[in-house]
Every structure is written in structure tokens, then in C-alpha cells.
């Protein structure tokens, strides 16, 4: 992979697309990112681009998830995060209410003294996918994690974290388009 620094990187949370690669798509479409920055220390199946605030998960050459450190990611040249297309650009100061207005009600809302985390569960026609959005205590959007293996699908995770709703989400099977 060769890094092409002028290539802007956009994310669409509704379509679950990183660059032009959808979740489950061929990772080769992200080759413009170049080699991972810390390949020796990254866990198997992961690519870390710390200077861009980006972490990729993969399996069998397919994108299975990605995480964004919002401030760092948006400082990358040309980077943008959209909640649902071009008219819904996210910023670190995007509020919880603004996100819910675009993405709908979260499946679960978890708050402690340091952070507020929203979990959005979507069915893409083949599998459940999870969007996790974390705000710091000042209300700034800090992290976004998109994964094809929802943590909330695990009984033990729900039990440890006090989640009182069952799995799969009732009425949450909205198709990603």
C-alpha cells in the first residue's frame, strides 16, 4: 500500500462507508492510506493510523469495523464525517440531540462520570451492525466506533454494563440504505 496524502477520507455513518469502502467491503479500497503506522504492535486483524485518528479492523481482506478519534480524524486533510449524507456533517461539538435527530433514537444510552455513550444498532439485510458514539463530560463528540459484531449482542457484556434490554432490538431492524 502506498500513502497518498492528498486523498481526503470521508465517513458516512448511515451508509456505514469509510472512504468508498462499505462495512464488509474489500479493504484494498483503502490502500491510499499506506502501510499501518504501528504494524508491529497492532493486534492481528487491525491497522492503526494513529496520526489520522483512525483504527481499522479486518478479516479475510474485508473491513469489519473502524474507530475514529473525532478531533484527530477531522484535523486530517480533507477528512469529514457525515451522519447521513453530505448535508449532515459532524463536528466535535455536534450535540447528542443533533445526532439523534439524524440517526434516530439510540438502542442504548450509557452514562458514567466521564462519558456518555450512545449505541445505535442497525440491520443491513445480512447482519446486525453497531455504531457507538462517545461524548466526553463536556458534551464533545470524542470517539466513533463502527463494528459488524455488536457488543450489545453479548449477554455477558449487557450484564456487566447494566443493559436492561434484550437482544436483538425490537423494532430496530431498519435497513441501511
Amino acid at each position: 500500500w502506498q500513502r497518498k496524502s492528498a486523498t481526503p477520507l470521508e465517513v458516512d455513518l448511515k451508509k456505514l462507508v469509510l472512504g468508498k469502502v462499505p462495512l464488509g467491503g474489500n479493504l484494498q479500497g483503502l490502500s491510499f492510506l499506506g502501510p499501518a503506522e504501528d504494524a508491529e504492535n497492532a493486534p492481528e486483524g487491525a491497522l492503526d493510523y494513529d496520526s489520522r485518528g483512525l483504527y481499522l479492523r479486518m478479516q479475510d481482506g474485508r473491513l469489519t469495523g473502524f474507530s475514529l478519534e473525532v478531533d484527530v480524524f477531522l484535523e486530517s486533510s480533507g477528512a469529514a464525517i457525515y451522519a447521513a449524507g453530505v448535508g449532515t456533517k459532524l463536528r466535535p461539538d455536534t450535540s447528542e440531540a443533533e445526532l439523534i435527530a439524524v440517526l434516530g433514537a439510540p438502542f442504548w444510552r450509557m452514562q458514567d462520570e466521564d462519558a456518555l455513550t450512545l449505541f445505535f444498532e442497525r440491520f443491513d439485510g445480512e447482519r446486525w451492525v453497531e455504531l457507538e458514539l462517545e461524548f466526553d463530560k463536556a458534551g464533545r463528540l470524542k470517539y466513533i466506533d463502527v463494528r459488524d459484531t455488536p457488543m450489545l449482542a453479548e449477554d455477558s457484556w449487557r450484564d456487566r454494563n447494566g443493559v436492561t434490554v434484550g437482544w436483538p432490538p425490537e423494532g430496530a431492524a431498519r435497513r441501511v440504505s
Side-chain angles (χ1 to χ4, degrees), residues 10 81 129 134:
E10 296 181 348
I81 305 168
V129 294
E134 183 178 310

Side-chain angles (χ1 to χ4, degrees), residues 38-53:
D38 192 10
E40 292 177 9
N41 294 318
E44 186 175 340
L47 298 173
D48 188 359
Y49 297 91
D50 197 45
S51 69
R52 291 186 85 155

Side-chain angles (χ1 to χ4, degrees), residues 147-167:
R147 55 186 159 266
D148 71 353
T149 306
M151 291 189 310
L152 287 172
E154 300 173 21
D155 292 336
S156 61
W157 195 93
R158 287 195 319 276
D159 290 344
R160 278 192 319 275
N161 290 282
V163 177
T164 58
V165 294
W167 187 267

Side-chain angles (χ1 to χ4, degrees), residues 4 10 24 27 39 43 52 59 66 85 91 113 137 150 153:
K4 297 178 183 160
E10 296 181 348
L27 201 61
R52 291 186 85 155
Q59 183 175 13
F66 56 91
R91 310 159 318 279
E113 64 276 353
K137 59 184 168 187

Side-chain angles (χ1 to χ4, degrees), residues 71-86:
D71 285 336
V72 177
F73 181 79
L74 291 175
E75 290 170 5
S76 300
S77 63
I81 305 168
Y82 300 102
V86 177

Side-chain angles (χ1 to χ4, degrees), residues 13 52-54 67-76 79 81 90-94 132-134 140-145:
L13 296 178
R52 291 186 85 155
L54 176 64
S67 299
L68 307 173
E69 186 178 348
V70 174
D71 285 336
V72 177
F73 181 79
L74 291 175
E75 290 170 5
S76 300
I81 305 168
L90 300 183
R91 310 159 318 279
D93 63 345
T94 298
E132 178 183 343
L133 295 101
E134 183 178 310
R140 293 183 55 82
L141 181 60
K142 297 302 286 181
Y143 300 102
I144 297 173
D145 195 11

Side-chain angles (χ1 to χ4, degrees), residues 72-147:
V72 177
F73 181 79
L74 291 175
E75 290 170 5
S76 300
S77 63
I81 305 168
Y82 300 102
V86 177
T88 58
K89 198 170 189 176
L90 300 183
R91 310 159 318 279
D93 63 345
T94 298
S95 71
E96 175 186 3
E98 288 173 295
L99 272 172
I100 290 172
V102 177
L103 295 175
F107 176 66
W108 189 252
R109 185 179 190 276
M110 189 166 69
Q111 188 159 12
D112 61 24
E113 64 276 353
D114 296 321
L116 164 66
T117 306
L118 303 177
F119 292 91
F120 295 88
E121 311 300 323
R122 300 290 187 259
F123 190 75
D124 71 358
E126 295 180 31
R127 66 188 179 272
W128 284 97
V129 294
E130 186 168 78
L131 284 74
E132 178 183 343
L133 295 101
E134 183 178 310
F135 296 84
D136 65 15
K137 59 184 168 187
R140 293 183 55 82
L141 181 60
K142 297 302 286 181
Y143 300 102
I144 297 173
D145 195 11
V146 177
R147 55 186 159 266

